[in-house]
Amino acid sequence: FALGGAGTLALTLALQDLAKRVINGLAISTSDAFEVGDEIRLGDGTSGIVLSVGWLSTVIRGYDEIITKIPNTQLSDIRVSNLSNLKFSQVKQSLYFEFKHLDDMPDFVNELEKAIKSCNKVISDGSRFFLVTWTGYTPKGLEVVVDCKVKYKPGSGAYYAARQ
């Protein structure tokens, strides 16, 4: 009887992890957090495209083409950001100018701000952060920072074109 009790205990402990994985897999499958084909980023830095969502694990293909299999028990315990749902992206760029242009900086920054705001894909209506400012002197030169949101999905070709 003692061996049977110990065997039952061992079996129960062994099945406990399997049961957690199955329950988490069911929860992930029925939630709308992400689905196959979505681009996600996990709290641990892992990111990529979801290839499959199973009962026990989820498979992601990273941008470096590495396939990562993640137990669903881990996915239930970390932050998951679904990048496929994003409609806007941030453009934050530092521009550097030679010191000889010091006197022109205030006018240049005003003109640059007007030019950026004139783009219909830039959100400059006050609903999102928007900044064009001369931050000062750096070893590289006079620094101007542009920080705004654009109406493009992050990482898309249109996003990279807008950064130019």
Side-chain angles (χ1 to χ4, degrees):
F1 177 74
L3 183 59
T8 302
L9 178 61
L11 182 61
T12 302
L13 292 174
L15 290 177
Q16 182 179 9
D17 184 55
L18 179 62
K20 283 182 185 178
R21 284 186 180 194
V22 170
I23 290 169
N24 286 323
L26 180 61
I28 289 169
S29 297
T30 58
S31 76
D32 61 351
F34 61 86
E35 56 189 39
V36 172
D38 282 353
E39 181 180 2
I40 64 171
R41 181 174 49 225
L42 306 178
D44 67 358
T46 304
S47 60
I49 306 296
V50 177
L51 297 180
S52 68
V53 178
W55 288 92
L56 302 177
S57 61
T58 297
V59 178
I60 298 172
R61 183 184 66 234
Y63 304 120
D64 54 4
E65 297 298 319
I66 294 175
I67 305 295
T68 305
K69 186 176 183 179
I70 303 166
N72 289 332
T73 51
Q74 288 181 6
L75 284 177
S76 66
D77 293 336
I78 61 174
R79 184 179 66 242
V80 178
S81 300
N82 190 335
L83 304 178
S84 297
N85 293 336
L86 293 177
K87 296 177 184 172
F88 308 125
S89 57
Q90 179 179 17
V91 173
K92 186 171 185 178
Q93 193 84 29
S94 291
L95 308 171
Y96 299 95
F97 301 92
E98 294 177 2
F99 292 109
K100 67 182 181 182
H101 299 294
L102 177 64
D103 293 336
D104 301 326
M105 290 310 293
D107 291 335
F108 174 76
V109 168
N110 286 335
E111 290 301 314
L112 180 61
E113 183 174 345
K114 286 179 193 173
I116 293 170
K117 284 184 173 181
S118 71
C119 176
N120 66 349
K121 296 296 183 178
V122 173
I123 304 170
S124 60
D125 60 4
S127 66
R128 301 287 192 276
F129 186 76
F130 181 88
L131 176 71
V132 177
T133 188
W134 173 32
T135 58
Y137 308 92
T138 71
K140 293 181 180 180
L142 304 169
E143 182 181 36
V144 174
V145 173
V146 176
D147 191 354
C148 61
K149 301 283 191 231
V150 292
K151 298 174 186 173
Y152 297 114
K153 292 184 88 162
S156 65
Y159 163 78
Y160 288 111
R163 286 190 60 156
Q164 298 301 324

